[in-house]
Amino acid sequence: QSVLTQPPSVSAAPGQRVTISCSGSSSNIGNNYVSWYRQLPGTAPKLLIYDSNKRPSGIPDRFSGSTSGTSATLGITGLQTGDEADYYCETWDSSLSAVVFGGGTKLTVL
Amino acid sequence: EVQLLESGGGLVQPGGSLRLSCAASGFTFSSFAMAWIRQAPGKGLDYVSIISDRGDSTYNADSVKGRFTSSRDNSKNTLYLQMYGLRAEDTALYYCAKYVAGTPTPAFDCWGQGTLVTVSS
């Protein structure tokens, strides 16, 4: 069971907006920044968001991140079929002194 | 171009040992902390270890403490993961990943393609 809780799946139509939630606690999301990764089938994860709301070079502004209290949210606008993938949140847990990941959310673009 | 290339995976019996390597190129390896992250078949991402840029500090997941040790040779631009006492639950694709510069919370902006470790008799 993951320290961070994500919905197993979400879906939306092409062109629409979707959000993926990540719920934690005061020892992780509540006091540390959050990162988000996308993993296409058969490939390594790719960083989409770090420091809760910053995008690495090359990541389009369709992807956004936010936090509120002990939860984080990844937003994706203008959905494309190529966005179908697994999405993971990640942060540091100060009590565990360890990196923690969410269980992953499978995004389906209908 | 930043590249990470893992090697050393394979089939090992329960209780056995294995050493993984990760060859880095395209960036100043000695300036970045690095991590090992694994993924069991069909499962999510699972943190294993972080090592500081100079190799003088490591943080391991509870599940591997006392069994796995990460190290690095900055003169060879190579990261290592020495694994002892392997268990069936250690079966996974092992990724090495580069820490994002300047962020207070771990984030990883470059990942290798992974090397598969299978623990089975």
Side-chain angles (χ1 to χ4, degrees):
Chain A
Q1 190 161 348
S2 302
V3 172
L4 305 179
T5 301
Q6 297 180 236
S9 62
V10 296
S11 61
Q16 296 299 303
R17 178 178 185 266
V18 71
T19 60
I20 298 173
S21 62
C22 177
S23 178
S25 68
S26 59
S27 65
N28 42 68
I29 294 177
N31 284 284
N32 293 291
Y33 292 111
V34 177
S35 299
W36 289 91
Y37 302 85
R38 177 170 78 176
Q39 187 175 32
L40 298 170
T43 69
K46 181 176 184 176
L47 181 65
L48 297 176
I49 298 289
Y50 68 100
D51 286 357
S52 298
N53 58 15
K54 296 179 181 176
R55 284 175 286 107
S57 173
I59 300 301
D61 59 8
R62 299 192 298 113
F63 297 90
S64 63
S66 64
T67 58
S68 178
T70 59
S71 293
T73 300
L74 173 70
I76 310 173
T77 60
L79 275 174
Q80 304 169 2
T81 55
D83 292 326
E84 286 202 335
D86 294 322
Y87 291 80
Y88 295 91
C89 57
E90 174 260 311
T91 188
W92 180 258
D93 190 295
S94 304
S95 295
L96 298 174
S97 291
V99 170
V100 290
F101 286 95
T105 298
K106 182 175 183 60
L107 169 63
T108 301
V109 181
L110 301 170
Chain B
E1 179 190 4
V2 175
Q3 285 194 324
L4 299 171
L5 184 62
E6 302 94 337
S7 61
L11 175 63
V12 60
Q13 292 187 340
S17 61
L18 210 56
R19 188 176 86 155
L20 307 183
S21 300
C22 171
S25 61
F27 65 102
T28 304
F29 180 70
S30 59
S31 296
F32 292 88
M34 298 290 294
W36 288 100
I37 296 160
R38 66 186 180 183
Q39 187 169 33
K43 303 296 185 182
L45 301 173
D46 184 34
Y47 161 73
V48 175
S49 180
I50 280 181
I51 183 168
S52 63
D53 53 357
R54 294 185 299 178
D56 51 357
S57 296
T58 59
Y59 301 89
N60 292 338
D62 285 345
S63 58
V64 305
K65 278 180 183 174
R67 301 188 301 123
F68 292 11
T69 301
S70 57
S71 62
R72 61 193 296 163
D73 186 337
N74 286 344
S75 69
K76 295 182 178 180
N77 291 343
T78 302
L79 174 71
Y80 302 100
L81 182 67
Q82 180 67 56
M83 304 183 292
Y84 296 104
L86 283 160
R87 307 167 180 167
E89 56 264 36
D90 296 318
T91 294
L93 187 64
Y94 284 71
Y95 294 104
C96 66
K98 171 184 165 290
Y99 204 110
V100 172
T103 176
T105 301
F108 310 104
D109 60 357
C110 183
W111 298 58
Q113 87 293 343
T115 186
L116 182 63
V117 173
T118 303
V119 184
S120 175
S121 55

